[in-house]
Amino acid sequence: MMYKVLIVDDEPMIREGLRTIVDWETEGFEIVDTASNGKEGLEKFGQIEPDLTIVDIRMPGMTGLDLIERVRKDNSSAHFLILSGYAEFDYAKRAIVSGVSGYLLKPVDEEELLDELRRVRELLQREQEARSARIEQESALPKAQIVEELLFEDEPLGEEQRAKLAGALGLSAPAYRIALLDAHGGIETESRQHAVFRQRLKESFEERGGDVLFSAGSHIGLLLVRRSHVEGGETLRSQLAEAAGDLEFHAACGPTVERLTDIASSFREAEQLLHARFFFESGSLIDRAAYEERFAAGDARGTDDEAEDGPQLGDKLYYALDIRSRDAVDKVLAELERTAVSRRMDEGAVRGEYSRTLSLALGKLSSSASSAAELAQNYHSLLLSDVNQAQSYGMLKRQVGDRLGELIDRFGGANKDTVLKQMIDFIRRNYSENLKLEVLAEMFGYNSGYLGKLFKNYTGEYFNAFVDKVRVDKAKELLGQGLKVHQVAARVGYSNADYFHSKFRKYVGTSPSAYRNEMHGEQQSGEQ
């Protein structure tokens, strides 16, 4: 066979000269391409996968040694001959460390090049013989080990090598696919349960069905040998469930392929799909169709991101808990789920999003002056434990929902006053927040326009005017304590001091600073 050669040199005369200096074919080599710089050489190396690369050590941009070091990250067995018009020792040292096969000075001497080519050819022949011997030995290996060789070989296998390994399996079918299983049980019995599970899989799939059971890191792998491209997923899921018994598991299936040499692509997709197992209940079989169906609703709806000045989910959950409304809590949790699904979050991101939302809501409750503060603080740690320990998203959602419902019951449940009385109490407790009628209407389950009319009839004030009056009353109290105007404005919920000034004058008839001075004057005269 002819060994492929790639020449990388920034001098055209050198590239062309090397083509003619020796009879390459006689020596068992064929120059398949050349490159004029290191970057181009790296690209062509990936395309050609040459047996030998002859590369100039000094080139503008990416040097020859840079190219070699980049290749070495993915290919430890590639062979290189270094060309250089410079004999610096430090370059030679780097070349030796990089594992080059030879080092030649320009102008290249014909005899020296021939000597190096013959030496490299012997190395390549020995490596080829060793690979062939290994593949022959592997033909006698257990089928599981051959599948693992096909999927997890440290060094990339050529098409011919993959074909030999596939042939060693002795399988012949129109379709193949990979299934990966993640199983988990109780800590004390998990090892025994796993052993029983593997034995049942071996009996059901390998001994009866001709499939191949293998190991894939912490997962169990199955090479499924199929008589047809069409396979009933429910049948496979039932077989797996029967083998699992009481052991909880998730399974993911890659697409079918026609050739055994292509099973790595099926394995890669199965591996990707298994990463989404947190969103599926125990016992699920995840294929591409199931994955897309699970996330389709979120994709269609979009992320529904809140406007920048709107309340975040943590604030909404705080409102829902503060008004003791289970329905409002359920709405926030549903919105949290839509966010997780639409963004296709992985397990860690989902747990993080839930933890942040709960921490913000429970943190605000814990710091409030209400009687619920201590109870909220205790439930904070319980909820975070639920989030971190849940085995699936469904379990997480149920546990968090149940825990928050329990918390509302401990608060005393929804009080028996009217919705309007609850709204008024809520405003008086949270006047410093960015309160909006639309948000409260959503929390209480009303149309905002209708709730606004009810509120006006009940209080005699429009919602925004009522909020302003509550804030101004609190501002009068704080000004009487001697706080500065800008401090009071921020404390009662006005980020703009001028806007606060106009609202205060509207309802009190004087400016905040004048009111503050008047109150202090009265206090001083009362003290005399």
Side-chain angles (χ1 to χ4, degrees), residues 1-4 27-29 51 121 125 128 131 160:
M1 66 176 287
M2 287 289 179
Y3 295 109
K4 295 181 292 184
E27 301 303 324
F29 292 92
D51 300 295
R121 186 181 64 203
Q125 288 172 342
Q128 180 62 39
R131 279 195 297 269
E160 184 180 346

Side-chain angles (χ1 to χ4, degrees), residues 86-361:
Y86 304 87
E88 293 96 330
F89 183 62
D90 57 340
Y91 272 84
K93 284 196 299 184
R94 278 188 66 190
I96 292 167
V97 170
S98 298
V100 300
S101 299
Y103 188 92
L104 297 170
L105 292 177
K106 296 179 183 178
V108 176
D109 180 80
E110 177 183 350
E111 291 302 321
E112 289 184 6
L113 178 56
L114 284 172
D115 288 342
E116 292 296 336
L117 290 178
R118 290 163 184 166
R119 189 168 58 80
V120 171
R121 186 181 64 203
E122 289 179 7
L123 282 173
L124 290 168
Q125 288 172 342
R126 286 199 297 271
E127 289 173 0
Q128 180 62 39
E129 290 168 0
R131 279 195 297 269
S132 297
R134 179 169 57 83
I135 291 173
E136 287 179 9
Q137 291 172 355
E138 285 167 346
S139 63
L141 292 175
K143 288 182 177 180
Q145 193 168 337
I146 298 174
V147 171
E148 290 164 18
E149 290 276 0
L150 277 168
L151 295 176
F152 312 123
E153 180 62 44
D154 291 335
E155 297 178 5
L157 295 173
E159 183 66 27
E160 184 180 346
Q161 294 170 284
R162 288 198 298 272
K164 284 185 178 180
L165 279 171
L169 283 169
L171 301 174
S172 178
Y176 307 90
R177 72 190 309 193
I178 295 292
L180 289 179
L181 291 85
D182 178 73
H184 41 87
I187 294 175
E188 295 180 358
T189 60
E190 190 171 72
S191 178
R192 182 180 59 81
Q193 287 177 315
H194 268 92
V196 171
F197 186 33
R198 289 186 70 93
Q199 181 58 35
R200 288 176 178 170
L201 289 172
K202 186 176 181 64
E203 293 171 358
S204 177
F205 287 89
E206 195 165 82
E207 295 176 3
R208 298 178 202 164
D211 302 315
V212 181
L213 187 72
F214 64 94
S215 296
S218 60
H219 306 313
I220 300 171
L222 275 171
L223 169 60
L224 302 173
V225 183
R226 292 298 171 246
R227 306 301 170 215
S228 166
H229 285 78
V230 180
E231 177 185 45
E234 183 55 34
T235 301
L236 176 59
R237 195 203 65 78
S238 297
Q239 282 182 281
L240 294 172
E242 184 179 352
D246 295 333
L247 189 66
E248 294 188 347
F249 75 95
H250 288 89
C253 266
T256 56
V257 295
E258 294 183 354
R259 302 187 307 166
L260 272 170
T261 52
D262 295 331
I263 59 171
S265 63
S266 183
F267 173 82
R268 285 193 295 271
E269 180 155 329
E271 195 172 35
Q272 291 170 357
L273 293 172
L274 198 58
H275 287 159
R277 63 188 177 278
F278 190 63
F279 278 96
F280 292 83
E281 293 297 324
S282 176
S284 296
L285 177 64
I286 311 165
D287 59 11
R288 178 56 59 182
Y291 177 87
E292 294 300 337
E293 182 181 356
R294 178 66 180 88
F295 293 104
D299 287 345
R301 184 179 179 91
T303 58
D304 284 336
D305 288 334
E306 293 293 327
E308 288 185 6
D309 59 344
Q312 299 301 307
L313 288 175
D315 292 319
K316 285 187 175 183
L317 183 58
Y318 163 62
Y319 297 158
L321 291 170
D322 195 49
I323 63 176
R324 281 47 167 175
S325 171
R326 281 193 177 224
D327 287 343
V329 166
D330 289 342
K331 287 179 181 178
V332 176
L333 294 182
E335 191 172 343
L336 190 55
E337 179 174 12
R338 287 195 297 273
T339 299
V341 171
S342 65
R343 295 176 185 171
R344 300 196 178 205
M345 292 180 176
D346 60 19
E347 180 178 340
V350 170
R351 295 187 195 276
E353 190 71 16
Y354 267 77
S355 295
R356 283 190 294 274
T357 300
L358 291 166
S359 292
L360 177 58

Side-chain angles (χ1 to χ4, degrees), residues 12-69:
M13 290 183 64
I14 296 294
R15 297 197 300 272
E16 293 308 311
L18 284 172
R19 285 183 178 273
T20 59
I21 191 173
V22 297
D23 186 343
W24 293 89
E25 290 189 10
T26 300
E27 301 303 324
F29 292 92
E30 175 190 7
I31 298 176
V32 292
D33 209 342
T34 64
S36 60
N37 57 61
K39 183 178 179 182
E40 182 186 5
L42 186 61
E43 292 174 357
K44 289 190 173 181
F45 185 96
Q47 298 164 5
I48 298 167
E49 295 185 358
D51 300 295
L52 172 63
T53 302
I54 300 177
V55 57
D56 188 2
I57 200 170
R58 296 285 292 268
M59 291 182 291
M62 180 183 288
T63 68
L65 294 182
D66 292 335
L67 185 156
I68 292 170
E69 289 169 358

